[in-house]
Amino acid sequence: MAVRIVLQQADLDRALTRIAHEILESNRGADGLVLLGIPTRGVVLAERLAAIVGRIAATEIPSGALDVTMYRDDLGRNPVRAPQPTAVPEGGIDGKTVVLVDDVLYSGRTIRAAFDALADLGRARAVRLAVLVDRGHREFPIRADFVGKNLPSSARERINVRLAEIDGDDAVTIDGRDD
Amino acid sequence: MRHLLSTRDLERPEAIGLLDVAEDMAAVQEREVKKLPTLRGKTVVNLFFEDSTRTRISFEAAAKRLSADVINFSAKGSSVSKGESLKDTAQTLQAMGADGVVIRHHASGAPQTLATSGWIDAGVVNAGDGTHEHPTQALLDAFTLRRRLHGRASRGRGLDGTRVVIVGDILHSRVARSNVWLLTTLGAEVELVGPPTLMPVDTSAWPARIGYDLDAALDEVPDAVMMLRIQAERMHAAYFPNSREYARIWGLDDARFDRLPPTTMVMHPGPMNRGLEIAARAADSPQSTVREQVANGVSVRMAALYLLLSGERGES
């Protein structure tokens, strides 16, 4: 089983900085932006993005966490999952432009669940999606607005996102399964 | 988790995990939309062979907030009063496709029988059986204690070093039994206080201190005092001379309440007999957690139903 590094720390920083600029560009500024990360690594990415966007726009960008566990459509097919905390920034999401942030976009099922979860929190003016890695294999008509890296992969391969806050270092790796 | 029958066989990580899920459920209760789609399409049957209002509506609210369909079955006015056995009732529920059964029964061990007999595939939650256990009550008590002690930093924590005094009718109390096991598992120290006539004959296997003097127990300034209800319906023998004497010796009256520091929580599983085991001033004080216990009950029961019913069935 070969492990290949796809993004190193510098690549990851560059990708996040580019996404931050793209978010500001598409939103025409920082007004009404709320970044919500999907646990676990999406939350860290959302915090980092909020810091970068805030630095560029010289303002504070609220970021939080949106857990989608209890909205998943595959709960009955897997062992019980422990939910993670949801943390909505003060001011809520009503009328805001919510940017969902996740590490890897794959089937799209997590994002579908996130739409349901978001609807229970309020009515956002618009919902955007930012992901660090898009690996293809979508099972829903969902696409990301902001992508760090497109990584066409085989369903047998495993994409691993490592972030310093959780894993000790920054890297995106791919495990090729030669079987 | 396949069934929730007692707190005695709950491991510490399992118990803390359940309380952590309950934190998430409590956060949902503070939103405008209090409902989750998690158990959509599942059926939960509330099978109550014994009268209960608060536990039943708490379970009903919990199941409904997880989008499960709820069927309430009370023994009064049902085929049970015509002599139907637990087995036949269970098989009826099985045929109706119940995914979860919440059972309260006057016989200790009835939930265990229901869960292990093979009559039914559903997950079983014990909502109080005889004088045996009432696990969700103990879990909501532990949740309430943890939240008051640690607030937002509660997740992942136990109750290590917390001292809890449980006062009253220990003999008949399934709440006391469930709390002794659970609170000890979570690291708390439990002391049981009550009249000798209302203390079980042999408590040597219980991880709790036994006392008969409430004033002595309160002198040690516990973190929480849990007053148990005097269960008039179980007082068939002369356990104490009269209720005034009980209130004077083992009740949390105004004088005893005034001696407690404001940091000591006053807990009661409800329904309260005001003036008997607890004075109105203690029950309505900011130290009282009675209303929080009710609100937390829904969150804890949502967590239990989620852990029992959301995953694929069949694993242990």
Side-chain angles (χ1 to χ4, degrees):
Chain A
M1 196 159 69
V3 179
R4 191 156 55 86
I5 295 178
V6 184
L7 294 180
Q8 289 177 329
Q9 190 190 352
D11 307 319
L12 208 145
D13 287 345
R14 262 197 301 277
L16 289 181
T17 308
R18 177 172 52 74
I19 291 175
H21 280 288
E22 286 174 358
I23 290 173
L24 278 168
E25 193 178 32
S26 77
N27 192 54
R28 297 198 176 89
D31 278 357
L33 273 181
V34 175
L35 270 54
L36 288 182
I38 297 172
T40 311
R41 285 170 185 73
V43 179
V44 173
L45 289 172
E47 281 166 12
R48 287 201 201 174
L49 268 175
I52 302 171
V53 173
R55 205 159 55 230
I56 300 166
T59 175
E60 190 109 336
I61 303 293
S63 86
L66 178 71
D67 184 57
V68 306
T69 308
M70 286 182 271
Y71 294 86
R72 298 195 72 95
D73 60 5
D74 55 1
L75 284 172
R77 296 162 182 273
N78 294 298
V80 179
R81 289 162 178 261
Q84 306 279 317
T86 287
V88 181
E90 241 173 274
I93 63 160
D94 282 325
K96 304 285 172 61
T97 297
V98 174
V99 181
L100 294 173
V101 184
D102 205 358
D103 51 356
V104 179
L105 179 59
Y106 188 22
S107 65
R109 286 182 189 268
T110 302
I111 306 304
R112 189 217 57 81
F115 292 156
D116 284 350
L118 209 53
D120 281 356
L121 294 179
R123 186 178 186 280
R125 194 185 68 79
V127 181
R128 309 279 180 234
L129 175 60
V131 297
L132 185 60
V133 174
D134 180 350
R135 62 171 297 188
H137 303 285
R138 215 75 79 241
E139 294 165 10
F140 278 93
I142 284 170
R143 66 167 182 80
D145 300 275
F146 315 106
V147 180
K149 182 161 180 68
N150 281 298
L151 202 58
S153 59
S154 140
R156 272 204 235 133
E157 289 168 321
R158 213 186 130 70
I159 312 271
N160 251 316
V161 173
R162 302 173 55 85
L163 296 172
E165 291 88 332
I166 298 166
D167 312 291
D169 62 341
D170 280 357
V172 177
T173 61
I174 182 163
D175 291 7
R177 300 246 157 100
D178 318 310
D179 48 8
Chain B
M1 211 188 286
R2 188 149 163 69
H3 305 290
L4 179 58
L5 302 175
S6 71
T7 56
R8 188 174 183 167
D9 46 25
L10 270 185
E11 306 277 346
R12 183 182 161 107
E14 223 177 352
I16 290 179
L18 194 149
L19 298 182
D20 288 350
V21 175
E23 287 285 347
D24 295 313
M25 299 300 181
V28 172
Q29 304 310 302
E30 287 158 19
R31 310 189 318 201
E32 212 171 288
V33 181
K34 294 185 177 58
K35 209 171 165 99
L36 291 166
T38 315
L39 296 183
R40 208 168 40 190
K42 306 260 185 198
T43 303
V44 174
V45 177
N46 282 330
L47 188 56
F48 277 64
F49 291 92
E50 204 181 69
D51 289 337
S52 160
T53 313
R54 52 183 68 216
T55 304
R56 207 208 70 220
I57 59 173
S58 181
F59 268 108
E60 187 171 347
K64 284 181 169 168
R65 285 184 183 168
L66 289 168
S67 300
D69 294 315
V70 182
I71 298 172
N72 284 314
F73 181 106
S74 66
K76 264 188 203 140
S78 76
S79 45
V80 172
S81 55
K82 299 173 192 160
E84 189 179 63
S85 68
L86 182 61
K87 180 175 178 178
D88 288 329
T89 307
Q91 285 172 339
T92 306
L93 301 178
Q94 171 75 3
M96 291 194 314
D99 298 289
V101 176
V102 176
I103 177 173
R104 163 162 294 192
H105 203 284
H106 42 78
S108 302
Q112 179 84 28
T113 305
L114 191 65
T116 55
S117 58
W119 299 330
I120 196 164
D121 298 326
V124 176
V125 184
N126 180 2
D129 59 333
T131 58
H132 174 227
E133 283 231 32
H134 190 354
T136 56
Q137 177 69 42
L139 284 160
L140 77 87
D141 291 336
F143 184 81
T144 305
L145 278 163
R146 198 175 76 155
R147 270 207 147 181
R148 277 253 178 150
L149 291 169
H150 302 302
R152 295 201 168 275
S154 289
R155 267 172 222 276
R157 301 179 84 140
L159 293 170
D160 300 282
T162 308
R163 289 175 308 127
V164 182
V165 177
I166 304 178
V167 188
D169 178 4
I170 310 293
L171 178 65
H172 297 106
S173 177
R174 50 199 178 206
V175 175
R177 282 169 181 76
S178 285
N179 264 309
V180 165
W181 299 114
L182 179 69
L183 297 180
T184 311
T185 300
L186 291 173
E189 292 163 35
V190 181
E191 179 173 5
L192 303 171
V193 176
T197 47
L198 288 173
M199 211 44 98
V201 176
D202 182 12
T203 52
S204 55
W206 291 16
R209 271 201 300 158
I210 309 294
Y212 305 104
D213 185 343
L214 178 56
D215 289 305
L218 296 185
D219 283 340
E220 294 178 32
V221 194
D223 297 294
V225 185
M226 189 183 296
M227 306 306 296
L228 298 173
R229 181 170 68 93
I230 286 300
Q231 307 181 50
E233 70 272 23
R234 297 194 212 272
M235 295 294 141
H236 305 305
Y239 292 110
F240 48 84
N242 60 57
S243 54
R244 274 181 54 211
E245 180 171 322
Y246 180 89
R248 207 176 63 243
I249 305 178
W250 288 288
L252 186 62
D253 55 18
D254 285 350
R256 289 198 178 97
F257 176 65
D258 286 336
R259 278 174 42 212
L260 290 173
T263 48
T264 297
M265 287 174 248
V266 175
M267 309 182 79
H268 194 295
M272 293 184 279
N273 297 309
R274 285 170 186 258
L276 179 51
E277 71 263 4
I278 188 166
R281 199 147 64 79
D284 299 328
S285 71
Q287 281 159 260
S288 160
T289 62
V290 175
R291 292 221 301 275
E292 275 160 71
Q293 284 170 277
V294 175
N296 292 340
V298 177
S299 305
V300 162
R301 287 169 181 129
M302 285 174 78
L305 291 173
Y306 171 76
L307 292 174
L308 252 59
L309 304 180
S310 77
E312 58 185 346
R313 297 291 295 163
E315 92 268 34
S316 58

